[in-house]
Amino acid sequence: MASYRVELPAGCTEVTLVRAEDGSETVVRFGVDTADGPVLRDDVARRLREYLGREPGSEAPALVDFMVRRLGFQVGPLAARAPIRLTVMDRRAVTLWVGASTVVSASKRQTAFALTLPGAVQKDDARVLFRLGSPGTDGQAVVRAFRDWAGA
């Protein structure tokens, strides 16, 4: 019996296994919470620990985990001292940047939508900032709204 290791994208809840010998298929379904081990890459987990070191009450670690585990966002390559870049592709592409205390939408295509959400603060012609932990700003509701908008 052969054994294979396969890493599935975040949010994947169904896998179809096909036997090479006869082409028979088996569908395996599982919940997103059943993954063993860390969901986030080591470098991302390290960055989130840095956020907690600077801001012990930071919502960013739980929010990034929620975005990856529940909403299917993918973490981009990390740049030194930059917020964590998360993207999701559906009918629309959405990119958000999560820092220790902020979620930022920096795409002109997202600006009009971003400004409709509670807690939105326009910083320039494209950047819209959401301050985590601020009254009127629910980080999970904001990122979920962006995810829903991506699929609409």
Side-chain angles (χ1 to χ4, degrees):
M1 172 182 251
S3 175
Y4 299 95
R5 176 181 165 83
V6 177
E7 293 189 26
L8 302 173
C12 179
T13 60
E14 183 176 293
V15 175
T16 302
L17 305 172
V18 180
R19 286 189 61 174
E21 297 84 13
D22 62 8
S24 64
E25 295 184 359
T26 301
V27 176
V28 179
R29 291 181 180 91
F30 46 92
V32 293
D33 292 332
T34 61
D36 292 328
V39 172
L40 300 173
R41 297 187 324 247
D42 288 342
D43 59 338
V44 177
R46 201 169 25 256
R47 177 71 55 89
L48 292 171
R49 284 191 301 273
E50 290 172 12
Y51 287 174
L52 285 173
R54 287 194 311 262
E55 296 186 34
S58 176
E59 294 177 28
L63 185 62
V64 170
D65 183 68
F66 174 75
M67 292 172 76
V68 170
R69 186 183 298 259
R70 301 289 181 128
L71 302 180
F73 278 82
Q74 300 291 315
V75 179
L78 295 183
R81 302 231 181 248
I84 298 170
R85 180 176 170 249
L86 295 114
T87 58
V88 67
M89 303 289 280
D90 203 324
R91 298 183 127 189
R92 295 182 182 107
V94 167
T95 300
L96 297 172
W97 299 83
V98 178
S101 61
T102 60
V103 173
V104 177
S105 169
S107 169
K108 284 186 180 185
R109 292 183 193 144
Q110 297 171 187
T111 302
F113 172 74
L115 290 172
T116 67
L117 300 176
V121 177
Q122 189 164 11
K123 298 306 276 184
D124 56 31
D125 63 336
R127 279 187 327 131
V128 178
L129 181 131
F130 300 88
R131 295 193 191 285
L132 297 174
S134 295
T137 300
D138 178 343
Q140 284 193 4
V142 167
V143 298
R144 185 183 301 276
F146 272 102
R147 176 64 183 100
D148 291 346
W149 182 76

